[in-house]
Amino acid sequence: MKKFLLAATAFSLVLAPATAQTPPFETAAPVAYLEDLSSGAVLYAKDADRQMPPASMAKMMTAYVAFDLIKQGKLKLSDMADVRPETWRKWHGPSAGSTMFLSPGQKVSVENLLNGIIVVSGNDACVVLAEHLAGTEEAFVNLMNQKAKEIGLNNSRFGTSNGWPDAGRTMVTARDLAKLAKATISNHPELYKRFYSKESFTFGSTMGGAPITQANRDPLLGRVRGSDGLKTGHTEEAGYGFTGSAEQNGRRLVMVVAGLTSFNARIEESVKFMDWGFRAWSSRKLVTKGRTVEQADVQLGDAAQVGLVAPRDLAIAIPSGANPNLRATVVYQGPIKAPIKAGQHIADLVVTSPGLPEQRLPLVAAADVGEAGFFGRMWAGLMSLFGA
C-alpha cells in the first residue's frame, strides 16, 4: 500500500519550483559507489553492480562473522587461537602477501587476530581465525556466504577468508561492499569503533627482537575529517581498491572505489571522492525524532491503526545550495498484520525530486499492537466477506 502525503498534512516540506541536478563528479576509478547512510541516497554509482575480485576487502566479511559471534556470546576477544604449523608455512614469507607476523605453534588472542585482519590486513590472521572458529577455512567460508546472504549481498560470493586470488570463486560488487560496510557500522558499532579506526598495530618482533609496528593503509585516516574505516585491497588481478566511511556533523557516507592502478591513485581518488560527497551535498532535516508522520492500518490487531513515527531525526541529501521540489510518500505493505512491537520498522518515507536519487527513510511503530481476540478476528473475517 502507498499513501501520498502533502506538505500541508502530516508534516512540512520546503517546496520550491526548482529542479535540482546531481552535482558532477569524475573519477579515474573504473568502479565507484557512494551512499549517504543518513538518508539512503546513492550519491554516485559507476559500474557498481559489476562482479569483481575484492582482494583484501573480503576481510570485512571475515571480521563481520567474528563480530556476530561476539555479539551472540559465542566468541570472546580474550579467546586464544592456535597457529597451526601448516597454516604458518602457507601464509608467511613474501609470496604470502600481507602478514601480522605470527609464529608456528603460537597462541594468539581473537582480539589480536582481529587487529591483524583489520588494521594490517594479515592473510595469516584470517586463516588462523577461520580455523579457530570453524575448524577449517573451507567451513568458515560457508559461514561467510551464509552471513552474506542474511545481510543482502545478493551478487557476491566468497571462496577464501582473506580475499587471496582463487580462480574467480570470490567475487563481489561495489554495491554489496557498501552494504557490508553499512551492516558492520549499524549492527556492531562498538566493535567497529574499537578496531577499524586504529592507525597502527604492533605485534611480533624482528630477528633482533624489536617490536614490529605496521600502519593502517586506510587512505582516508588523517586526511578526511571523521574517517573511521574500513578496508583496502590490492592484488594484481583486482588492482587497488578501498571501501571507506566517514561521519561529519551526524552525516555518514560510505564509499567504494576499485580497479585503480597504483597505491597513490587509491589515496587521491578516495580522498577526492569522499570530500566531494561532503562538499557537493548537504543535509536537510525533514522530520524530528518521535514525530508521527502517518497512521497505518492494522490487520487482526487489538487496534485498527498504529502510528508511524521517525525513529531518529530524518534528513535527506540535497545538492549544496539547492532548494529542490520534494515529494514525500509513506510506503508499507498493508494492512500490517498484528502483533506489532513499538519501534518495529514497518514503513518507509520515500522522498523523490526530479533529477535527484530516491531517498528512503525508516518509519517505526509508535506503540505495541497485540493480536485481536476471538471475537475481533471473527468480526474482521465477516467484514472481509462484505468487502468492508
Side-chain angles (χ1 to χ4, degrees):
M1 174 183 290
K2 291 189 177 182
K3 292 201 173 183
F4 298 93
L5 302 184
L6 299 176
T9 57
F11 61 96
S12 177
L13 291 178
V14 179
L15 299 179
T19 299
Q21 295 296 324
T22 299
F25 182 76
E26 296 292 336
T27 177
V31 175
Y33 182 83
L34 181 65
E35 183 174 344
D36 186 326
L37 298 193
S38 304
S39 67
V42 177
L43 306 182
Y44 188 89
K46 179 181 180 182
D47 218 358
D49 296 308
R50 184 221 297 181
Q51 287 192 321
M52 61 185 182
S56 287
M57 291 186 286
K59 290 171 179 149
M60 292 191 298
M61 179 55 74
T62 294
Y64 188 88
V65 172
F67 285 1
D68 249 21
L69 292 172
I70 292 168
K71 185 176 182 179
Q72 295 167 25
K74 298 177 181 179
L75 180 67
K76 296 178 181 178
L77 292 174
S78 58
D79 288 349
M80 303 300 288
D82 296 315
V83 181
R84 298 169 62 240
E86 307 95 298
T87 302
W88 176 82
R89 281 194 293 270
K90 182 176 180 181
W91 295 106
H92 89 286
S95 63
S98 301
T99 175
M100 70 174 286
F101 296 103
L102 295 169
S103 301
Q106 184 178 20
K107 289 185 178 293
V108 59
S109 69
V110 168
E111 181 170 13
N112 279 334
L113 287 173
L114 284 169
N115 278 314
I117 292 166
I118 293 168
V119 183
V120 304
S121 200
N123 291 322
D124 52 353
C126 286
V127 180
V128 170
L129 182 62
E131 291 174 343
H132 175 70
L133 295 180
T136 66
E137 186 181 19
E138 291 76 16
F140 182 79
V141 166
N142 290 335
L143 296 180
M144 294 174 72
N145 285 314
Q146 289 171 17
K147 192 60 61 178
K149 186 175 181 180
E150 285 178 22
I151 60 178
L153 308 193
N154 299 321
N155 295 306
S156 298
R157 63 181 182 273
F158 298 90
T160 69
S161 62
N162 53 24
W164 195 254
D166 58 1
R169 283 191 301 152
T170 300
M171 299 293 280
V172 301
T173 68
R175 197 182 304 273
D176 279 357
L177 287 173
K179 284 183 183 179
L180 176 54
K182 180 179 180 179
T184 301
I185 295 165
S186 300
N187 298 337
H188 304 291
E190 293 180 0
L191 290 168
Y192 174 75
K193 183 178 180 181
R194 180 169 186 156
F195 289 100
Y196 272 100
S197 59
K198 285 188 176 180
E199 295 184 357
S200 64
F201 177 56
T202 300
F203 188 89
S205 58
T206 65
M207 296 293 289
I212 299 173
T213 298
Q214 299 185 72
N216 193 328
R217 300 183 184 94
D218 184 332
L220 299 183
L221 290 179
R223 296 183 177 93
V224 173
R225 180 169 61 88
S227 60
D228 53 11
L230 295 154
K231 191 72 194 70
T232 58
H234 169 248
T235 61
E236 184 176 345
E237 174 189 29
Y240 289 82
F242 174 60
T243 301
S245 185
E247 185 175 24
Q248 295 182 9
N249 303 319
R251 181 169 166 241
R252 179 172 288 280
L253 305 183
V254 165
M255 58 154 286
V256 181
V257 290
L260 289 159
T261 57
S262 71
F263 182 90
N264 287 335
R266 179 171 63 193
I267 294 174
E268 180 181 348
E269 292 301 319
S270 296
V271 171
K272 182 176 73 172
F273 199 20
M274 188 64 81
D275 186 54
W276 173 81
F278 283 115
R279 285 189 307 102
W281 297 83
S282 60
S283 180
R284 174 180 292 177
K285 188 162 82 171
L286 293 183
V287 187
T288 57
K289 179 180 178 180
R291 185 168 183 179
T292 300
V293 174
E294 177 62 290
Q295 298 288 325
D297 295 330
V298 175
Q299 182 181 39
L300 301 178
D302 57 16
Q305 292 188 318
V306 64
L308 301 176
V309 302
R312 52 178 168 80
D313 288 346
L314 301 182
I316 59 166
I318 60 173
S320 297
N323 192 26
N325 187 2
L326 304 174
R327 185 182 190 186
T329 309
V330 171
V331 180
Y332 63 91
Q333 294 293 322
I336 302 168
K337 189 174 181 179
I340 300 168
K341 290 290 186 183
Q344 182 180 338
H345 178 195
I346 55 175
D348 290 307
L349 180 65
V350 179
V351 182
T352 57
S353 180
L356 296 180
E358 176 186 281
Q359 304 185 55
R360 187 173 288 260
L361 306 166
L363 297 174
V364 301
D368 292 341
V369 179
E371 292 182 288
F374 172 76
F375 290 107
R377 294 195 302 272
M378 184 173 66
W379 179 256
L382 287 172
M383 291 300 97
S384 67
L385 289 176
F386 293 101

